[in-house]
Amino acid sequence: MWIRLLLLATVFWVGTGFSAPAKGQQLIVSGDPERIHPQLGAYVEEIVPGEEREYAVEVSNPTEKDITALLYMADAIPALGGGKDFTLPDDPDLSSAAWFTTPDRPITVRAGETERFTVNMRIPDSVQPGQYVSVIGVYDDQDHTVEVSDDTQARFVTRVVRKTGLQVVLNYKLDEAKPPQAVPHAAVYAKENEKAFLSILLMNEGGSLSKPEMTVEVNRQDEDMPVLELKTRFDSIYAGTVAQYRAELSRLLAPGAYLAEVITNVNGQMEQRVLPFEVVGEEERTRWGTASSGEVIQVAEDGSPLPAPWLGLHRIYLYAGLLLLIVIVTWRRKRADKRRAREPR
């Protein structure tokens, strides 16, 4: 399974998959109780290559007004800082979301009512051993929430996306799949709204869900005294995906070159990498607002857009690099699939 790194969405995981309502969330999604896994709140099944399947989904509207939304198929991805998320409707389907044969379609759920829908899937004839996770999602972009925060130089407008969904977890010969991994890939430091953040990217090159523990020790280059230490646990890194842990630091780091020693532990399997990163000075930094979910727009006090700052360009290069990484992993895995298919059984 392979993904784009997406950081601009809010998802809630309670009960049945991603289905619990929370602040800003209006619709509730659930599945057939006779087939839903009682602990995971998801469809969890074994793969039979070439088989066609049907999945039921119920969408409830507990509000006092009718809601029109989009019922669509998505790939599961890690959420920011651990947890579960999934792709947006316009994102390409790169993993098992592409197996669904039911097209995306708008739905209307009347106030206080529940509608039942079915979606169909056809599993490919040739499948690599591993775990494949998709989401039957509902995307509601009506009356989206807009949050505005001000500082001395700019206004930051955050557009919050409302989406919810139900996971479909498909397993195929897990005993033959590559063990889950959590390989440290990159460390990025950023200063936003006078706060400092350190992001660590981990990649699961294995064939199933990874839930690693991670410790990070940061030192200035050529110095032994650590300036930062943290320890955390990731909730979900799906097979073939990249996850980001974003920590808010208690203080700013002085400009200079730093090394982050990242150690991950997955089922006793250790991975260790030393990742370099830079902290730039004030004169090289441009103010830029972000949020863990939503679309961020930077505007001047009069409401006109500001020119793209250096940090915005820096983010573009970072995300482009991540996309390139995913493309490389996808290409390597597909090549391995073809080579495996040619081998005699």
Side-chain angles (χ1 to χ4, degrees):
M1 185 180 300
W2 20 86
I3 63 159
R4 292 77 57 221
L5 181 63
L6 298 176
L7 305 176
L8 307 179
T10 301
V11 171
F12 305 96
W13 169 262
V14 180
T16 56
F18 298 89
S19 64
K23 181 180 179 181
Q25 181 59 54
Q26 299 189 26
L27 297 176
I28 304 172
V29 177
S30 58
D32 185 347
E34 295 184 357
R35 295 174 61 188
I36 291 292
H37 191 284
Q39 282 77 43
L40 298 180
Y43 287 109
V44 182
E45 300 179 339
E46 294 295 319
I47 283 178
V48 177
E51 188 174 74
E52 295 186 1
R53 296 186 181 174
E54 182 177 272
Y55 295 98
V57 57
E58 291 187 349
V59 183
S60 301
N61 178 6
T63 73
E64 297 179 353
K65 64 177 183 178
D66 298 352
I67 296 179
T68 297
L70 181 71
L71 181 67
Y72 75 106
M73 313 305 137
D75 286 321
I77 60 174
L80 181 66
K84 300 171 176 65
D85 199 350
F86 54 97
T87 55
L88 291 168
D90 292 337
D91 299 321
D93 296 330
L94 299 181
S95 187
S96 53
W99 299 353
F100 285 93
T101 57
T102 302
D104 301 347
R105 64 185 186 274
I107 60 173
T108 299
V109 185
R110 296 189 179 278
E113 295 188 359
T114 297
E115 296 287 345
R116 183 181 177 90
F117 306 92
T118 58
V119 295
N120 296 295
M121 169 190 286
R122 187 186 186 282
I123 300 172
D125 295 323
S126 178
V127 182
Q128 181 78 6
Q131 187 177 72
Y132 301 83
V133 186
S134 56
V135 175
I136 304 171
V138 174
Y139 176 82
D140 169 19
D141 196 28
Q142 295 187 96
D143 302 324
H144 52 258
T145 303
V146 176
E147 300 175 355
V148 180
S149 60
D150 296 303
D151 66 12
T152 58
Q153 293 190 13
R155 261 188 324 133
F156 300 95
V157 182
T158 303
R159 175 173 171 271
V160 178
V161 172
R162 290 199 300 246
K163 62 179 183 178
T164 187
L166 180 67
Q167 279 193 338
V168 179
V169 182
L170 300 177
N171 300 317
Y172 184 59
K173 298 182 178 180
L174 286 184
D175 55 335
E176 300 179 17
K178 188 177 181 181
Q181 297 179 337
V183 180
H185 176 68
V188 179
Y189 176 87
K191 183 180 177 183
E192 301 165 2
N193 301 333
E194 304 307 323
K195 296 181 180 179
F197 298 89
L198 180 66
S199 297
I200 304 294
L201 302 181
L202 299 183
M203 186 167 187
N204 178 9
E205 297 178 340
S208 59
L209 185 72
S210 172
K211 296 186 176 183
E213 296 179 346
M214 181 181 72
T215 59
V216 181
E217 180 179 293
V218 176
N219 296 271
R220 286 187 68 102
Q221 197 164 336
D222 301 326
E223 294 184 9
D224 294 331
M225 182 68 66
V227 298
L228 171 67
E229 294 179 310
L230 64 89
K231 183 176 182 179
T232 188
R233 177 189 294 271
F234 280 73
D235 179 60
S236 300
I237 308 180
Y238 299 101
T241 67
V242 177
Q244 180 189 46
Y245 180 81
R246 189 170 187 256
E248 181 178 345
L249 309 185
S250 60
R251 61 184 177 85
L252 303 179
L253 297 182
Y258 290 81
L259 297 175
E261 182 183 48
V262 183
I263 300 175
T264 60
N265 186 338
V266 182
N267 301 330
Q269 180 66 35
M270 306 285 292
E271 292 282 351
Q272 181 176 356
R273 297 286 190 278
V274 176
L275 308 174
F277 67 91
E278 293 282 338
V279 176
V280 300
E282 185 71 21
E283 67 282 357
E284 301 178 67
R285 183 178 55 84
T286 303
R287 299 175 64 84
W288 188 252
T290 64
S292 60
S293 64
E295 177 182 348
V296 180
I297 307 167
Q298 188 182 30
V299 297
E301 290 299 329
D302 61 359
S304 60
L306 292 179
W310 174 87
L311 186 55
L313 294 176
H314 178 76
R315 281 203 181 93
I316 292 174
Y317 296 143
L318 173 61
Y319 295 159
L322 291 173
L323 287 172
L324 179 60
L325 174 65
I326 299 302
V327 169
I328 293 174
V329 172
T330 302
W331 174 74
R332 291 179 58 188
R333 190 153 182 174
K334 287 185 176 180
R335 188 176 65 173
D337 290 348
K338 292 180 180 179
R339 184 168 59 249
R340 187 184 184 93
R342 289 196 297 266
E343 293 177 355
R345 298 185 180 275

